[in-house]
Amino acid sequence: MKKIVIFASGSGKNAQNIVLHFKKSSFVYQFYIFSNNANAKVLERAKYLSVPTTIISKEDIQSGAILNNLKEIQPDLIVLAGFLLKFPNNCIQEYQNKIINIHPSLLPKYGGKGMYGMHVHRAVVENKETQTGITIHYVNENYDEGNIIFQKIVNLTGTESPDEVAEKIYELEQTHFPLIIEKIINQ
């Protein structure tokens, strides 16, 4: 059995998609969902999927106290799926090359602190980009600077709104994120 811990702060659409993808597998995977937002929709989705949840405080993250939670679980992979806080350095050091993140742009473009969700899509539209996409990367001590695992491009016509760009990115995330996770965890 392989253990996957998912960190999410919001709706949990990616988390749900990942769990459902692996439930189809003949191999057994155990999921855990951690959230820093007690009101996040991801917690409802986890309950529906019978995935155990842990609510963590910003202080737990900033102090690195969540390392103790992770050591109890002994995850094979940690997935940041819409997790908006900087991951603690002690966890990154303990689980080097076992923490991945998905970003809604073609890094290194539109990465860094504060660049998530609609902030990224607005910047893409404002800068009249002809392409955008997703990047799945390992997490290091700097926002969105870890080694890139996978990128997928989507072409833009220049007439899209930020919401339309977001929809194109969402489709890429739903299609590719579970497949890349599966590839990584089964190496």
Side-chain angles (χ1 to χ4, degrees):
M1 176 173 60
K2 301 231 178 171
K3 298 176 185 176
I4 301 173
V5 176
I6 300 174
F7 281 78
S9 298
S11 76
K13 289 178 185 175
N14 273 326
Q16 177 176 316
N17 187 47
I18 292 163
V19 172
L20 289 174
H21 173 84
F22 281 91
K23 283 193 180 240
K24 297 174 201 166
S25 173
S26 59
F27 193 77
V28 177
Y29 296 89
Q30 175 63 52
F31 285 90
Y32 303 84
I33 293 179
F34 282 53
S35 183
N36 60 302
N37 179 356
N39 299 312
K41 183 134 176 100
V42 69
L43 300 172
E44 291 174 36
R45 293 179 195 272
K47 185 177 180 182
Y48 167 77
L49 295 166
S50 301
V51 173
T53 60
T54 301
I55 298 170
I56 50 175
S57 70
K58 191 172 184 177
E59 293 75 31
D60 289 338
I61 296 160
Q62 290 173 336
S63 71
I66 60 168
L67 181 58
N68 294 331
N69 299 86
L70 292 172
K71 282 185 175 182
E72 285 178 27
I73 295 170
Q74 297 181 340
D76 295 286
L77 189 66
I78 299 167
V79 177
L80 308 187
F83 187 67
L84 301 180
L85 299 175
K86 192 167 188 306
F87 216 67
N89 285 340
N90 66 338
C91 294
I92 293 168
Q93 290 167 0
E94 182 76 22
Y95 295 99
Q96 211 162 51
N97 294 322
K98 288 190 176 186
I99 307 170
I100 64 171
N101 183 42
I102 189 163
H103 188 77
S105 76
L106 298 171
L107 292 174
K109 284 187 170 187
Y110 307 109
K113 187 174 182 175
M115 291 305 287
Y116 60 90
M118 290 306 291
H119 299 287
V120 172
H121 307 316
R122 283 188 203 101
V124 165
V125 169
E126 287 169 10
N127 289 310
K128 300 178 182 8
E129 296 287 352
T130 58
Q131 292 182 325
T132 189
I134 60 170
T135 302
I136 300 168
H137 64 93
Y138 288 108
V139 174
N140 69 11
E141 62 279 352
N142 300 313
Y143 283 109
D144 302 322
E145 291 183 13
N147 290 335
I148 293 172
I149 301 164
F150 175 85
Q151 289 187 309
K152 184 68 176 177
I153 294 170
V154 64
N155 292 314
L156 302 174
T157 63
T159 61
E160 292 92 352
S161 69
D163 287 330
E164 290 168 323
V165 172
E167 184 57 36
K168 289 182 178 194
I169 295 302
Y170 174 73
E171 288 175 21
L172 292 179
E173 291 174 344
Q174 294 291 287
T175 300
H176 297 284
F177 203 17
L179 297 174
I180 298 302
I181 291 167
E182 186 174 35
K183 184 177 176 183
I184 291 168
I185 200 159
N186 292 322
Q187 286 180 354

